[in-house]
């Protein structure tokens, strides 16, 4: 399955990935071919799972205990590239 120029441009914009070289396009096409195999799987009568863990029927969430705060300046020192107070990801 071929990937149109419009789809490539849209994916580049969303993922901040450059698909201008042949290797990048080939990788994307292989990923699409791999994912297309999922259309062949018959899922009639299969209920969606809440968890990929077979022996757990519900997921337990822990309490969110805030131990620190107001450390934006220290966190932003870890950014290789930033715009205003936001990390640029992926860098470059």
């Amino acid at each position: 399955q071929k990937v149109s120029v419009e789809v490539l441009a849209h994916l580049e914009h969303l993922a901040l990935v450059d698909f201008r070289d042949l290797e990048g396009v080939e990788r994307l096409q292989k990923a699409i071919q791999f994912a297309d195999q999922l259309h062949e799987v018959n899922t009639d009568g299969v209920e969606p799972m809440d968890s990929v863990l077979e022996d757990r029927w519900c997921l337990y969430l822990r309490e969110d205990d805030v131990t620190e705060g107001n450390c934006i300046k220290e966190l932003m020192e870890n950014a290789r590239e930033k715009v205003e107070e936001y990390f640029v990801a992926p860098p470059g």
Side-chain angles (χ1 to χ4, degrees):
Q1 177 177 346
K2 293 287 183 185
V3 179
S4 70
V5 174
E6 293 82 17
V7 170
L8 282 176
H10 186 66
L11 289 173
E12 285 179 336
H13 176 74
L14 291 175
L16 301 175
V17 175
D18 187 4
F19 292 115
R20 284 182 282 188
D21 66 345
L22 184 59
E23 182 183 352
V25 174
E26 286 175 353
R27 274 191 179 161
L28 178 62
Q29 288 175 335
K30 286 180 183 178
I32 291 170
Q33 288 171 352
F34 182 77
D36 278 344
Q37 295 174 16
L38 296 175
H39 293 294
E40 298 173 16
V41 177
N42 182 0
T43 58
D44 292 342
V46 176
E47 292 293 321
M49 295 177 65
D50 294 329
S51 170
V52 296
L53 304 174
E54 294 178 18
D55 60 339
R56 290 184 85 173
W57 288 100
C58 63
L59 300 176
Y60 301 99
L61 300 177
R62 65 175 172 82
E63 291 294 321
D64 188 12
D65 297 323
V66 178
T67 58
E68 294 180 36
N70 298 323
C71 54
I72 292 174
K73 184 177 177 182
E74 292 85 6
L75 290 173
M76 294 310 294
E77 289 174 0
N78 294 317
R80 280 197 346 205
E81 189 174 338
K82 58 187 169 188
V83 174
E84 296 175 2
E85 290 187 358
Y86 298 95
F87 281 78
V88 174

